[in-house]
């Protein structure tokens, strides 16, 4: 049946450009049925004081991930992957990709990780009356205006990474509502950019850049066809020439939106946490927040519903570095373990740690962390002479550290009385059952659910959004996910353990106080 689905061109492809991996996911007639996956590792680079990815790496990475998936299809099903019913593209949100009238990139891609937009973000937050985070595309544009960068007058298209890839595959400069909401504020009433704020911005810059709306991609809600794969686009994805053009594409989305879809968290009072190089939590709101909080972003679901987002620049990268240290120790001892086995051992050891991690504190700040009030990163591991230093506490502190800054932001939403029935989690660190999930439940003091697709993440989420194109006339997005995607899904829910909750609260008190040490390290080192 799967081979017939692929041969008939009914399979659907999702591709997501994550911070360390480009993933491809192929699904069948049943959106919950993953037929094959492919991936390619890549890394950002720190060049001339900015975090960036080379655009050539976008295409070599996409081709490698697609080739990996295609090889898996041929091995499993004995057929080539020639035609697709639909395609979706997702990627890290925000950042700055500016192109001129000829479609040439004006300056190297500035990713979400850059925190050099403080003056612009502060000015725009005051101008718009809502929080504009440092990483948002409009903050990057306005910082370039404030800095009088010479390319500004030549900008004719400003887009996201997902929008760029979609544009090259289809020829259409569009964005899904969720991704667009990380570029510029969305008006909930129209599902489009907030025109009043656009007018306010154009008046502020007074012709320094072309009219803002002319630079921004068209906004499309989930379920809206967003173009077809062109012959040029098919060749970009598959230089072998096997893949044929013609597949319809859904609106390109950001990793926040695909995370919501992958965890069935698009209805009010649901939320999700995505943990990777960065970590962020999103809660779909029932009502507007009462105040402007610089720690909280206001974005939307792919369907346009309002979402409060707590975004932390630093996620599991420092944890992975520590795991790499132990992986090398195992190899040097003559008892090598692969990385998955190392993570499994260390995570399970953390369960034996004290509830407050024995007085240890871990800061995972490789980059600046606006919620913590820092503009640069200094990973730190801190203890006092009275702390209990053993492997279990070290690993519990490292896992707690992944959730530390996130918990600071979530405390603000709790004070706003934002309703949350259940938090869904996804990302590779949740593959070891019952560890990161349990600690996250303690950090949030809320039940945390992990589903079968937790490690597939956004590539599967954007494939589901592409599959939704055929069902949008019959279902809203919430109904489609509930009835067609997750109806039979197995979900493991962990309730917060009172001892863990108290232990994490004690850890967080030390974590908050110790931020003075983090800031001192930034100043001194």
């Amino acid at each position: 049946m799967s081979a017939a689905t692929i041969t008939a061109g009914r399979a659907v492809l999702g591709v997501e450009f994550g911070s360390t991996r480009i993933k491809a996911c192929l699904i069948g007639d049943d959106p919950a049925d993953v037929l094959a996956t492919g991936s390619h590792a890549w890394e950002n680079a720190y060049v001339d004081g900015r975090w960036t990815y080379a655009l050539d790496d976008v295409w070599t990475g996409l081709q490698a991930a697609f080739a990996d998936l295609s090889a898996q299809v041929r091995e499993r099903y004995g057929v080539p992957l020639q035609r697709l019913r639909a395609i979706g593209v997702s990627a890290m949100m925000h950042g700055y990709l500016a192109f001129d009238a000829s479609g040439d990139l004006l300056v190297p891609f500035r990713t979400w990780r850059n925190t050099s937009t403080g003056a612009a973000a502060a000015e725009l937050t005051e101008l718009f009356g809502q929080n504009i985070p440092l990483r948002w595309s409009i903050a990057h544009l306005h910082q370039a205006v404030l800095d009088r960068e010479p390319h500004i007058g030549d900008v004719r298209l400003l887009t996201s990474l997902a929008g760029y890839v979609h544009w090259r595959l289809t020829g259409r400069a569009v964005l899904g509502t969720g991704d667009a909401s990380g570029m510029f504020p969305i008006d909930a009433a129209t599902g489009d950019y907030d025109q009043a704020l656009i007018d306010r911005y154009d008046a502020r810059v007074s012709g320094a850049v072309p009219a803002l709306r002319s630079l921004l991609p068209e906004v499309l809600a989930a379920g809206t066809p967003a173009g077809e794969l062109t012959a040029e686009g098919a060749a970009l994805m598959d230089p072998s020439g096997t893949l044929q053009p013609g597949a319809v594409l859904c609106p390109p989305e950001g990793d926040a939106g695909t995370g919501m879809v992958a965890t069935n968290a698009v209805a009010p009072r649901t939320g999700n946490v995505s943990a990777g190089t960065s970590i962020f939590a999103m809660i779909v709101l029932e009502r507007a927040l009462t105040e402007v909080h610089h720690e909280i972003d206001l974005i939307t679901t792919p369907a346009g519903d309002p979402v409060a987002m707590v975004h932390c620049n630093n996620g599991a990268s420092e944890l992975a570095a520590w795991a790499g240290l132990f992986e090398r120790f195992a190899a040097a001892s003559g008892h090598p373990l692969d990385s998955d086995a190392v993570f499994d051992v260390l995570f399970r050891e953390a369960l034996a740690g004290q509830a407050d991690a024995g007085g240890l504190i871990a800061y995972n700040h490789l980059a600046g962390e606006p919620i913590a009030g820092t503009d640069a990163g200094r990973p730190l591991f801190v203890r006092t002479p009275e702390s209990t230093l053993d492997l279990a506490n070290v690993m519990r502190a490292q896992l707690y550290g992944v959730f530390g800054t996130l918990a600071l932001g979530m405390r603000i939403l709790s004070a706003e009385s934002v309703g949350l029935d259940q938090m869904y989690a996804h990302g590779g660190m949740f593959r070891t059952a019952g560890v990161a999930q349990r600690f996250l439940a303690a950090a949030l003091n809320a039940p945390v659910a992990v589903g079968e697709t937790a490690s597939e993440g956004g590539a599967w989420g954007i494939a589901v959004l592409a599959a939704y194109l055929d069902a949008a006339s019959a279902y809203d997005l919430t109904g489609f996910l509930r009835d067609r995607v997750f109806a039979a899904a197995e979900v493991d829910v962990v309730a917060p353990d009172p001892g863990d909750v108290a232990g994490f609260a004690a850890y967080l008190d030390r974590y908050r106080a110790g931020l003075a040490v983090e800031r001192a390290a930034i100043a001194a080192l």
Side-chain angles (χ1 to χ4, degrees):
M1 179 64 76
S2 296
T5 297
I6 294 167
T7 302
R10 297 200 308 272
V12 175
L13 175 68
V15 178
E16 182 160 80
F17 292 79
S19 53
T20 59
R21 299 196 76 77
I22 300 170
K23 291 185 176 182
C25 180
L26 193 72
I27 61 176
D29 295 319
D30 177 355
D33 183 18
V34 176
L35 303 178
T37 60
S39 68
H40 173 76
W42 72 334
E43 281 288 350
N44 57 185
Y46 194 62
V47 180
D48 296 330
R50 299 185 193 275
W51 293 102
T52 189
Y53 294 85
L55 292 195
D56 285 347
D57 292 346
V58 170
W59 300 110
T60 57
L62 174 60
Q63 290 161 12
F66 185 79
D68 188 28
L69 178 139
S70 297
Q72 192 177 113
V73 166
R74 192 178 287 274
E75 180 181 346
R76 285 187 179 181
Y77 308 109
V79 297
L81 185 56
Q82 295 177 304
R83 291 183 295 136
L84 293 164
R85 173 162 54 99
I87 301 172
V89 178
S90 175
M92 299 168 283
M93 293 174 67
H94 319 297
Y96 188 70
L97 276 163
F99 298 88
D100 65 14
S102 299
D104 294 326
L105 186 68
L106 290 166
V107 293
F109 175 29
R110 298 170 184 175
T111 78
W112 57 269
R113 202 170 187 179
N114 291 286
T115 55
S116 57
T117 57
E123 182 177 321
L124 293 175
T125 296
E126 181 179 359
L127 179 67
F128 295 157
Q130 72 174 70
N131 181 42
I132 301 298
L134 301 180
R135 67 189 178 282
W136 277 28
S137 303
I138 187 60
H140 283 278
L141 175 69
H142 193 53
Q143 191 65 52
V145 171
L146 295 179
D147 293 341
R148 294 190 171 95
E149 293 192 38
H151 75 274
I152 281 297
D154 296 326
V155 179
R156 294 298 179 272
L157 173 64
L158 179 63
T159 191
S160 68
L161 179 55
Y164 163 69
V165 174
H166 182 100
W167 174 45
R168 291 291 305 275
L169 294 180
T170 67
R172 293 193 62 184
V174 301
L175 283 182
T177 313
D179 204 11
S181 71
M183 294 192 70
F184 192 86
I186 296 292
D187 182 344
T190 66
D192 199 355
Y193 303 113
D194 191 315
Q195 187 61 47
L197 299 187
I198 285 180
D199 294 341
R200 206 175 295 175
Y201 183 74
D202 287 340
R204 173 62 62 93
V205 299
S206 187
V209 292
L212 182 59
R213 183 168 281 277
S214 72
L215 307 182
L216 296 172
E218 180 184 1
V219 181
L220 299 176
T224 307
E228 294 185 353
L229 182 67
T230 64
E232 295 81 2
L236 274 173
M237 185 176 291
D238 179 23
S240 75
T242 303
L243 179 65
Q244 301 301 301
V248 65
L249 273 80
C250 69
E253 266 299 345
D255 48 1
T258 55
M260 293 182 220
V261 170
T263 54
N264 192 21
V266 298
R269 297 183 64 89
T270 63
N272 84 298
V273 169
S274 176
T277 300
S278 64
I279 184 169
F280 49 84
M282 292 162 291
I283 300 177
V284 186
L285 297 174
E286 298 175 287
R287 58 169 180 79
L289 300 182
T290 60
E291 298 179 30
V292 175
H293 303 279
H294 82 272
E295 301 92 345
I296 309 298
D297 304 1
L298 295 177
I299 59 169
T300 75
T301 69
D305 294 313
V307 172
M309 179 182 190
V310 178
H311 184 284
C312 308
N313 285 347
N314 301 281
S317 294
E318 179 67 1
L319 176 67
W322 279 78
L325 188 73
F326 288 106
E327 183 178 355
R328 175 56 194 150
F329 173 80
S333 73
H335 302 279
L337 296 172
D338 64 31
S339 60
D340 284 347
V342 169
F343 273 107
D344 188 72
V345 169
L346 294 176
F347 275 39
R348 296 193 187 285
E349 181 69 9
L351 292 174
Q354 294 168 255
D356 70 343
L360 309 179
I361 313 173
Y363 294 98
N364 62 338
H365 296 181
L366 287 158
E369 196 61 86
I371 291 176
T374 61
D375 59 5
R378 299 292 185 272
L380 293 176
F381 184 73
V382 183
R383 67 187 181 102
T384 68
E386 293 77 29
S387 302
T388 303
L389 181 64
D390 58 28
L391 181 59
N393 282 329
V394 167
M395 292 317 302
R396 185 174 281 232
Q398 291 294 336
L399 280 157
Y400 278 6
V402 173
F403 303 133
T405 310
L406 181 77
L408 295 178
M410 290 298 293
R411 295 306 196 261
I412 294 168
L413 292 180
S414 179
E416 279 265 10
S417 299
V418 170
L420 176 62
D421 294 330
Q422 188 163 272
M423 188 70 88
Y424 297 83
H426 73 116
M429 69 182 295
F430 297 103
R431 284 184 296 179
T432 300
V435 184
Q437 181 182 7
R438 169 178 158 179
F439 295 159
L440 179 58
L444 304 180
N445 194 17
V448 172
V450 173
E452 294 174 314
T453 59
S455 62
E456 298 297 341
W460 179 72
I462 191 65
V464 169
L465 283 174
Y468 178 54
L469 290 170
D470 286 343
S473 61
Y475 294 91
D476 63 12
L477 183 58
T478 298
F480 176 71
L481 296 179
R482 181 188 64 237
D483 299 338
R484 292 281 302 279
V485 181
F486 288 95
E490 293 185 11
V491 177
D492 176 52
V493 181
V494 170
D497 176 88
D500 287 343
V501 171
F504 186 88
Y507 176 91
L508 192 63
D509 286 342
R510 290 196 308 273
Y511 184 94
R512 185 185 284 109
L515 285 171
V517 181
E518 175 75 14
R519 297 184 189 106
I522 293 168
L525 301 176

